[in-house]
Amino acid sequence: MTILVVGSVALDTVETPFTRKEDILGGAASYFSTAASLYNQVNLVAVVGSDFPQEYLDFWRSRPVNLAGLQMQVGKTFRWTARYHLDMNSRDTLDTQLGVYAGFHAVISDENRQSPLLFLANIQPELQLEVLEQIPNARLTVLDTMELWIMTARAQLTEVIKRVDILLMSEEEVRQYTNQASIVTGVRQLLAMGLKYVIVKQGSYGALLFGADGTYFSAPSYPLEEVIDPTGAGDAFAGGFLGYLSTVQPAPDGRYAIDDIKCGVVHGNIIGSYVCEDFSIGRLRTLTMDDIAARYQALVDCSHFDLSWRNTMGMQFIAPR
Amino acid sequence: MTILVVGSVALDTVETPFTRKEDILGGAASYFSTAASLYNQVNLVAVVGSDFPQEYLDFWRSRPVNLAGLQMQVGKTFRWTARYHLDMNSRDTLDTQLGVYAGFHAVISDENRQSPLLFLANIQPELQLEVLEQIPNARLTVLDTMELWIMTARAQLTEVIKRVDILLMSEEEVRQYTNQASIVTGVRQLLAMGLKYVIVKQGSYGALLFGADGTYFSAPSYPLEEVIDPTGAGDAFAGGFLGYLSTVQPAPDGRYAIDDIKCGVVHGNIIGSYVCEDFSIGRLRTLTMDDIAARYQALVDCSHFDLSWRNTMGMQFIAPR
């Protein structure tokens, strides 16, 4: 089952409290494609400028990343510059240069329209809508977005949300979009728009899954000794999530079992945690399925506890007055 | 197995974005005693002034809270005033009036020295040391502290940390005390001081348990629809944690099974989450063991996932170059 992703491929300049890296491979679709291609074939739809380094194309060609939908245009590749704070859970965007994305329109080929799984990576909601209109029959559609579009393209973003199955948002984005202080209340409002699931990304705290069917799942995060660069963790999360789902069979009606959805969220957390261990897609280049399995086991070990508690002393409850 | 607590009993003035409450029951030892007395007898050592409302004493007398160690002195009860930010995970202390705590020294009676479980609630480290010297043989000692003492009484706090079994700290406090950006590295530094466990409180994100034996456990938090007032959540967490442990039998060498410690952390999260549903100890007054059991089950349901993942499509891993 192939996965189609539409989003940004970029060259990032990233400053952490410890290091600065210039013009490294970035962009939501880059992280997603590299992550999801660990599991299955990814069809990448994006645009790069004439300055885009050949080595990244060569790398993707060494993986099951289909680049037929990657446009190359004369001009500059999308550039993003950001600086992280000391706790690495927050950052400031210092500069954004759209470059060839300024006039970009996604054209989905007949072959790519057959992908049953679609990830609308973070990009202008208008573009996301164009993509959805070209693929009316995707089996599972997952949407990511960012604060910028909540603030500047709310109406279009709302249209996109109404047409997809699963929405990924950070806690802060849930608050901004719904204007609710409570995540639980905000998510309920989002689910009422027709979504099947909302996944709330919590950075180093893991992720929460809320289902329209009442599902609530809190996926633990892996405690990293050292965070080198958290850029792309959310996109890699999506790659692990959809990558895993691309390997399991949904029910005949197209629905995924809730245990598989949960398992996908755990895979998302795992890939998201690995990404933070190096700049750009550095860690994803060397990641093996054994690494993923090891961290899966670590997350099982650190989050499971007794299904019922012991009461060896004969607990005596004091009734309230 | 009774539990001894030494700490503050206070009258709080709390401002949330929605409400303001004046002179309500507060103080770390108040929250702890009320929470832990749901499980077992609590011996409370603290001091209140002549202005302390009789109704709170009457309430504790209706519970297994032994007030023999609660001094009453002429003067003002400790007062604390704080204002919460919109996301309720952060607050500013606006005013602190020590009142009768200014000259307080804890005197531990012979009866209270027999308590096998000791909670040193947040209070001056000097006072905590005085208590430890009077009870050299407690079976399990748990320490809480705050930013103020890390900044102003670091040497004394270090002495206390070296003498206890379990330390409770928020993430921010771990960073402040250890001067490490990484929680994992900071906790390792703390464990090297001789602690058996460090529990890192993460507010609405739950809690992490780290053991000197390499244990790592991430306890999920309960997703509250509405947080009314998070004051005392950490103290109530400690009450649930030690309250639960007071109901299980340690091994003959005095050690608690790791599954019981984990279960205690879950109980801590549960009681901590309930406290946030009302001001002061309001919610703890009506809480029943059925409520606790219901939330325990909810936390099991929301955090457990498949021990091994399905691979119905025959996952094919792409080896890295």
Side-chain angles (χ1 to χ4, degrees):
Chain A
M1 251 199 272
T2 63
I3 309 166
L4 178 65
V5 55
V6 183
S8 59
V9 170
L11 295 174
D12 289 351
T13 295
V14 174
E15 264 182 62
T16 70
F18 314 104
T19 322
R20 178 188 158 93
K21 294 274 181 184
E22 263 181 72
D23 282 350
I24 53 179
L25 179 61
S30 301
Y31 282 100
F32 179 88
S33 300
T34 310
S37 67
L38 288 163
Y39 299 84
N40 232 320
Q41 183 185 314
V42 178
N43 302 319
L44 170 60
V45 173
V47 61
V48 294
S50 32
D51 58 351
F52 191 71
Q54 178 70 30
E55 60 164 317
Y56 301 138
L57 302 175
D58 292 341
F59 166 69
W60 279 327
R61 287 198 183 99
S62 77
R63 292 281 185 98
V65 178
N66 173 10
L67 299 180
L70 180 65
Q71 303 174 28
M72 312 219 184
Q73 291 182 6
V74 175
K76 289 237 173 200
T77 299
F78 179 41
R79 273 173 171 78
W80 177 78
T81 304
R83 182 186 294 143
Y84 282 89
H85 299 184
L86 193 61
D87 89 345
M88 296 273 210
N89 267 322
S90 54
R91 71 182 177 210
D92 299 319
T93 292
L94 303 181
D95 189 37
T96 302
Q97 301 286 342
L98 280 184
V100 290
Y101 269 93
F104 176 65
H105 289 275
V107 180
I108 313 298
S109 67
D110 286 347
E111 186 201 347
N112 280 346
R113 285 173 205 220
Q114 306 310 315
S115 291
L117 305 175
L118 171 63
F119 180 55
L120 297 168
N122 173 24
I123 206 165
Q124 298 98 302
E126 228 168 2
L127 252 165
Q128 295 175 321
L129 264 183
E130 277 182 27
V131 173
L132 279 175
E133 271 156 20
Q134 295 174 70
I135 317 176
N137 299 318
R139 177 179 295 164
L140 191 70
T141 49
V142 180
L143 171 67
D144 195 18
T145 189
M146 71 189 295
E147 184 183 342
L148 178 65
W149 313 126
I150 295 173
M151 297 307 180
T152 63
R154 192 186 162 82
Q156 294 96 321
L157 176 59
T158 299
E159 269 317 294
V160 187
I161 292 175
K162 284 181 180 168
R163 298 196 195 185
V164 297
D165 298 311
I166 302 182
L167 172 64
L168 300 177
M169 268 191 175
S170 70
E171 284 188 299
E172 207 36 49
E173 288 159 1
V174 171
R175 289 205 185 91
Q176 280 161 349
Y177 183 81
T178 65
N179 208 20
Q180 296 286 347
S182 159
I183 294 297
V184 177
T185 309
V187 166
R188 185 173 304 131
Q189 199 171 307
L190 288 165
L191 288 170
M193 294 170 71
L195 293 159
K196 292 197 181 83
Y197 295 99
V198 174
I199 297 174
V200 181
K201 298 178 286 183
Q202 301 182 299
S204 65
Y205 301 107
L208 305 177
L209 170 75
F210 295 87
D213 60 358
T215 296
Y216 170 66
F217 174 57
S218 168
S221 70
Y222 184 82
L224 286 178
E225 174 95 30
E226 193 181 9
V227 171
I228 300 290
D229 174 15
T231 307
D235 311 307
F237 176 99
F241 176 71
L242 269 176
Y244 173 72
L245 285 181
S246 78
T247 70
V248 299
Q249 192 71 53
D253 66 357
R255 284 180 176 268
Y256 284 86
I258 182 62
D259 282 343
D260 288 332
I261 299 277
K262 288 183 183 179
C263 207
V265 173
V266 174
H267 276 263
N269 264 355
I270 290 169
I271 310 294
S273 74
Y274 274 121
V275 162
C276 300
E277 294 184 358
D278 200 350
F279 284 94
S280 183
I281 59 160
R283 187 64 184 91
L284 294 182
R285 277 174 178 262
T286 58
L287 198 64
T288 68
M289 203 44 79
D290 282 348
D291 295 330
I292 295 173
R295 199 154 283 185
Y296 191 94
Q297 188 58 47
L299 289 181
V300 167
D301 292 343
C302 84
S303 64
H304 285 61
F305 55 93
D306 283 351
L307 299 183
S308 56
W309 76 74
R310 298 204 303 161
N311 183 2
T312 53
M313 305 284 281
M315 188 185 292
Q316 210 180 350
F317 176 63
I318 316 307
R321 286 192 301 180
Chain B
M1 251 200 271
T2 63
I3 309 166
L4 178 65
V5 55
V6 184
S8 60
V9 170
L11 295 174
D12 289 352
T13 296
V14 174
E15 264 183 62
T16 70
F18 313 104
T19 321
R20 179 188 158 93
K21 294 275 181 182
E22 263 181 71
D23 283 351
I24 53 178
L25 179 61
S30 301
Y31 282 101
F32 179 88
S33 300
T34 309
S37 67
L38 288 164
Y39 299 84
N40 232 319
Q41 183 186 313
V42 178
N43 302 319
L44 170 60
V45 173
V47 60
V48 294
S50 32
D51 57 350
F52 191 72
Q54 178 68 30
E55 59 164 318
Y56 301 138
L57 303 176
D58 291 342
F59 166 70
W60 279 328
R61 286 197 184 100
S62 77
R63 292 281 185 99
V65 179
N66 173 9
L67 299 180
L70 179 65
Q71 302 174 29
M72 312 221 183
Q73 290 180 9
V74 176
K76 288 238 173 200
T77 299
F78 179 42
R79 273 175 170 76
W80 178 78
T81 304
R83 182 186 295 141
Y84 282 89
H85 299 184
L86 193 61
D87 89 345
M88 295 273 209
N89 268 321
S90 55
R91 70 182 177 209
D92 299 319
T93 291
L94 303 181
D95 189 38
T96 302
Q97 300 286 342
L98 281 183
V100 291
Y101 268 92
F104 177 63
H105 290 275
V107 180
I108 314 297
S109 68
D110 287 346
E111 186 201 349
N112 279 346
R113 285 172 204 221
Q114 307 311 314
S115 292
L117 305 175
L118 170 63
F119 181 55
L120 296 168
N122 174 24
I123 204 166
Q124 297 98 304
E126 228 168 3
L127 252 164
Q128 295 176 320
L129 265 183
E130 278 182 28
V131 173
L132 279 175
E133 272 156 19
Q134 294 174 69
I135 316 176
N137 300 318
R139 177 179 295 164
L140 191 71
T141 50
V142 180
L143 171 67
D144 194 19
T145 190
M146 71 190 295
E147 184 183 344
L148 178 65
W149 313 126
I150 295 173
M151 297 307 180
T152 64
R154 191 187 163 82
Q156 295 96 319
L157 176 60
T158 299
E159 269 317 294
V160 186
I161 292 174
K162 285 180 179 168
R163 298 196 196 185
V164 297
D165 299 311
I166 302 180
L167 172 64
L168 301 177
M169 269 190 175
S170 71
E171 284 188 299
E172 207 36 49
E173 289 159 0
V174 171
R175 289 204 184 92
Q176 280 163 349
Y177 183 82
T178 65
N179 208 19
Q180 295 286 347
S182 157
I183 293 296
V184 177
T185 310
V187 165
R188 186 175 302 132
Q189 198 170 307
L190 288 165
L191 288 170
M193 296 170 70
L195 292 159
K196 292 197 182 81
Y197 296 99
V198 174
I199 297 173
V200 180
K201 297 177 287 183
Q202 300 182 298
S204 64
Y205 301 108
L208 306 177
L209 170 76
F210 295 88
D213 60 357
T215 296
Y216 169 66
F217 174 58
S218 168
S221 71
Y222 185 83
L224 285 178
E225 173 95 30
E226 193 181 10
V227 171
I228 300 291
D229 174 16
T231 307
D235 312 307
F237 176 99
F241 176 70
L242 270 175
Y244 173 71
L245 285 181
S246 78
T247 69
V248 299
Q249 192 72 53
D253 66 358
R255 283 178 177 270
Y256 285 86
I258 183 60
D259 282 344
D260 289 333
I261 299 276
K262 288 182 183 179
C263 207
V265 173
V266 174
H267 276 263
N269 263 356
I270 291 169
I271 310 294
S273 72
Y274 274 122
V275 161
C276 299
E277 294 184 356
D278 200 351
F279 283 94
S280 183
I281 59 161
R283 185 64 184 91
L284 294 182
R285 277 175 180 260
T286 57
L287 198 65
T288 69
M289 203 44 79
D290 283 349
D291 295 329
I292 295 173
R295 199 154 284 186
Y296 191 95
Q297 188 57 47
L299 289 182
V300 166
D301 292 343
C302 83
S303 64
H304 284 61
F305 54 94
D306 283 352
L307 299 183
S308 56
W309 78 72
R310 297 203 304 160
N311 183 1
T312 52
M313 305 285 281
M315 188 185 292
Q316 209 180 351
F317 176 62
I318 315 306
R321 286 191 301 177

